[in-house]
């Protein structure tokens, strides 16, 4: 469904992503992980078309993403940024309705029945239906994160990219978010999520991609991609006696 | 049209009619109404149709232009304190007008003053947008605006010094303070094209402004075109502020106050904010212009001064509230 081939990205003259290649089929639920500064967010941005691709290419459903117009790309791929500012105290439905901007650039009240239905359904899936009608800036951090998730789910795009969606969420909502994403993948969407919580990644994702210093260093099922070797070499951690991850002595 | 828009339009029409009934010439209500209907004696008709109504229409048009420009700039810069006056756009526009007058371009073509005012507004808006693109925050933009305003003031003094046919200081004050006294229909017709094109540009940018609420990168990922939105708003607000200044000189704060009052009534949506802000700002200036004619001052208070007297404290109040929520 989405593939990157030899993707390289430079920011301010520095190579941040270096010849990364992988492909995700429809229905895949994959985690992208790696230490801070590994290039995860930048790789996601390049896939979403908001960071310049220096070399290589991104294909969505077989089409060259670089050749797509912005609305055409938005209909195929939705991206949740790591930083999620909302400048005005918009109503929750209007924030979610922006997820369908490429379909209909309207506020919720002026959308057609189909658009409103999609927004309502997305709010339900994100466990945020009760937040409808509230002003966004009055919500807690966790509630705001769920509204952003609903915005992503309201989009018709078959590919979802999420950059640390679990930040600011309590444990119950982290689990419920992962379950929601798993259900979206089971329904045929392709989901790639940047996670720092390796346990969460291993538990829900059938595939884990590990970046280190801009390069892809592991890609496969969780047990293979997060092997003791990778944990030690890339993350500097190991399994303790109880199975929990502990810092590896240097 | 939403109910809010209908109420604002009706209020504006009522105030326009009310404005025609108020003035220094002692005309009875009955005579005024007769003259408004196109009847009665010629002198009264002239006073109403050629003096009071153009003045009222100018006050409304200038207010609407500034309100729309303010709402558009606020959406673009994502800052509730943005406005042509505060950001120095009006001052640069006035500078353009002053240069056109003092160096004799105004004598060459009647379009010279509006064109120069629009050009001046465009220079300031482009500078501000350039700073915003490079990541300047709210405070930086406002500081740049203060700098632009003072700089434009200094350049106006310089223009005055160097002008081959220096007018009196009171002409400069006229452009800095703003007034719609003695405006004719011809003045309005001259700036109408700029007003209409400017308004159209800003209104077209509306949906893009709502997308920009989520930041430029996310807006782009949603299929919006932030660059196009920026160009539309810059072009549109330059035309609006320039046309406003060409008609009435620099009038501050209306462009801040109107969007601020309207925002909660439109669910804080930057797109739906545009039309009500324009109408409400027009209403504010129209009401202010009626007030300064009714108030018993020896010499008539200037419209820009009245707007600043009322708008200044509101601006400070909004800024203080912003500081509290961000600290």
């Amino acid at each position: 469904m989405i593939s990157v081939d030899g993707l390289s990205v430079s920011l301010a003259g520095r190579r941040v992503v270096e010849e990364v290649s992988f492909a995700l089929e429809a229905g895949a639920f994959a985690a992208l992980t790696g230490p801070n500064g590994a290039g995860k967010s930048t790789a996601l941005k390049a896939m979403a078309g908001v960071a310049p691709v220096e070399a290589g290419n991104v294909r969505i459903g077989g089409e060259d993403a670089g050749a797509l117009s912005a609305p055409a790309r938005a209909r195929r791929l939705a991206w949740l940024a790591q930083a999620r500012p909302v400048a005005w105290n918009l109503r929750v439905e209007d924030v979610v309705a922006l997820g369908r901007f490429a379909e209909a650039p309207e506020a919720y009240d002026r959308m057609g029945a189909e658009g409103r239905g999609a927004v309502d359904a997305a709010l339900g899936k994100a466990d945020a239906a009760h937040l409808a009608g509230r002003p966004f800036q009055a919500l807690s951090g966790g509630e705001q994160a769920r509204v952003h998730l609903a915005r992503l789910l309201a989009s018709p795009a078959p590919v979802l990219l999420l950059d640390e969606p679990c930040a600011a969420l309590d444990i119950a909502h982290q689990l419920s978010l992962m379950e929601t994403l798993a259900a979206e993948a089971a329904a045929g969407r392709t989901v790639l999520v940047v996670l720092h919580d390796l346990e969460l990644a291993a538990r829900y994702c059938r595939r884990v991609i590990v970046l280190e210093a801009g390069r892809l260093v592991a890609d496969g099922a969780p047990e293979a991609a997060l092997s003791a070797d990778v944990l030690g070499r890339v993350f500097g951690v190991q399994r303790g006696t109880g199975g929990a991850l502990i810092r590896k002595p240097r | 049209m939403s109910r809010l828009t209908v109420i604002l339009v009706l209020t504006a029409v009522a105030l326009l009619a009310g404005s025609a009934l108020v003035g220094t010439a002692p005309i009875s209500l009955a005579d005024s109404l007769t003259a408004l209907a196109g009847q009665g004696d010629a002198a009264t008709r002239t006073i109403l149709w050629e003096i009071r109504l153009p003045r009222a229409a100018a006050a409304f048009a200038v207010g609407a232009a500034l309100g729309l420009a303010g709402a558009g700039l606020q959406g673009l810069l994502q800052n509730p304190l943005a406005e042509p006056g505060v950001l120095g756009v009006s001052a640069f526009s006035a500078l353009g007008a002053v240069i056109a007058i003092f160096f004799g371009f105004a004598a060459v073509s009647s379009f010279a003053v509006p064109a120069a005012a629009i050009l001046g507004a465009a220079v300031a808006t482009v500078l501000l947008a350039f700073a915003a693109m490079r990541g300047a925050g709210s405070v930086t933009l406002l500081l740049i605006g203060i700098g632009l305003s003072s700089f434009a003031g200094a350049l106006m003094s310089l223009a005055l010094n160097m002008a081959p046919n220096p007018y009196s200081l009171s002409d400069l004050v006229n452009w800095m303070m703003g007034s719609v006294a003695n405006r004719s229909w011809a003045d309005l017709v001259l700036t109408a094209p700029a007003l209409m094109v400017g308004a159209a540009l800003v209104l077209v940018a509306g949906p893009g402004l709502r997308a920009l609420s989520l930041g430029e990168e996310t807006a782009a990922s949603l299929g919006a075109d932030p660059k196009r939105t920026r160009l539309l708003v810059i072009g549109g607000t330059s035309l609006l502020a320039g046309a406003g200044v060409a008609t009435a000189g620099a009038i501050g704060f209306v462009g801040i106050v109107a969007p601020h009052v309207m925002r909660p009534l439109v669910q804080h949506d930057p797109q739906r904010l545009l039309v009500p802000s324009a109408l409400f700002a027009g209403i504010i200036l129209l009401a202010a212009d009626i007030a300064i004619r009714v108030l018993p001052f020896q010499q008539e208070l200037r419209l820009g001064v009245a707007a600043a007297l009322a708008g200044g404290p509101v601006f400070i109040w909004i800024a203080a509230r912003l500081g509290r929520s961000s600290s």
Side-chain angles (χ1 to χ4, degrees), chain A residues 224-246:
Chain A
L226 297 174
S227 64
D229 174 48
V230 171
L231 287 178
R233 197 161 40 83
V234 178
F235 294 97
V237 296
Q238 62 185 21
R239 295 267 169 209
T241 43
L245 291 171
I246 57 171

Side-chain angles (χ1 to χ4, degrees), chain B residues 2 57 95 114 135 150 173 183 206 209 226 245 278 287 310 327:
Chain B
S2 71
L95 172 67
S150 321
V173 171
R183 292 302 178 273
L209 289 178
V245 168
S327 64

Side-chain angles (χ1 to χ4, degrees), chain B residues 247-314:
Chain B
T247 308
I251 293 177
F253 299 114
V254 195
I256 283 184
V257 174
H260 184 74
V261 174
M262 290 295 116
R263 190 169 282 116
L265 305 179
V266 295
Q267 270 94 29
H268 299 255
D269 177 354
Q271 181 188 12
R272 277 177 291 173
L273 182 62
L274 297 174
V275 171
S277 294
L279 292 171
F280 189 60
I283 288 171
I284 293 177
L285 270 201
L286 198 46
D289 190 53
I290 294 172
I292 59 177
R293 280 183 286 157
V294 174
L295 288 177
F297 282 119
Q298 277 291 309
Q299 222 187 353
E300 191 174 288
L301 196 61
R302 281 179 193 284
L303 184 57
V305 176
L309 279 177
V314 179

Side-chain angles (χ1 to χ4, degrees), chain A residues 51-247:
Chain A
V53 173
E54 193 182 359
N57 65 56
V58 177
R59 304 185 78 81
I60 309 170
E63 293 172 283
D64 182 3
L68 292 173
S69 70
R73 186 196 284 256
R75 279 187 211 104
R76 289 162 175 77
L77 179 150
W79 167 67
L80 181 65
Q82 192 177 359
R84 309 191 266 267
V86 176
W88 307 105
N89 203 2
L90 297 176
R91 244 182 352 159
V92 162
E93 300 91 299
D94 287 332
V95 174
V96 177
L98 280 172
R100 298 185 65 79
F101 190 84
E103 303 295 302
E106 310 285 349
Y108 178 79
D109 289 342
R110 303 205 177 165
M111 285 181 128
E114 188 198 344
R116 279 209 299 270
V119 170
D120 295 341
L123 277 167
K125 282 185 200 167
D127 193 14
H130 61 289
L131 302 176
R134 302 256 305 269
F136 187 83
Q137 287 170 354
L139 305 179
S140 72
E143 289 171 333
Q144 293 187 348
R146 277 184 274 152
V147 173
H148 281 298
L149 175 66
R151 163 166 65 82
L152 226 63
L153 297 179
S155 146
V159 178
L160 303 181
L161 308 179
L162 299 92
D163 200 342
E164 295 191 29
C166 289
L169 288 185
D170 59 45
I171 181 70
H173 278 110
Q174 289 189 22
L175 299 178
S176 110
L177 176 127
M178 293 302 280
E179 278 161 20
T180 305
L181 293 178
E184 289 300 312
R189 271 177 159 164
T190 306
V191 182
L192 178 63
V193 49
V194 171
L195 283 178
H196 274 300
D197 188 334
L198 302 179
E199 309 281 14
L200 207 59
R203 189 158 146 199
Y204 284 97
C205 300
R206 278 163 290 166
R207 183 159 162 203
V208 175
I209 299 166
V210 183
L211 294 186
E212 184 191 20
R215 290 185 179 276
L216 192 150
V217 292
D219 179 3
E223 47 285 7
L226 297 174
S227 64
D229 174 48
V230 171
L231 287 178
R233 197 161 40 83
V234 178
F235 294 97
V237 296
Q238 62 185 21
R239 295 267 169 209
T241 43
L245 291 171
I246 57 171
R247 201 148 61 87

Side-chain angles (χ1 to χ4, degrees), chain B residues 143-207:
Chain B
L143 289 174
I144 292 174
I146 292 169
L148 288 177
S149 286
S150 321
F151 189 54
L155 286 176
M156 271 189 259
S157 315
L158 185 66
L160 200 68
N161 274 324
M162 293 179 18
N165 60 338
Y167 279 54
S168 64
L169 197 64
S170 71
D171 280 290
L172 185 68
V173 171
N174 223 344
W175 286 101
M176 308 267 306
M177 291 294 162
S179 168
V180 287
N182 308 321
R183 292 302 178 273
S184 69
W185 291 118
D187 292 326
L188 282 170
V189 169
L190 203 60
T191 51
L195 280 179
M196 282 189 275
V197 174
L201 293 181
V202 173
L203 290 176
V204 167

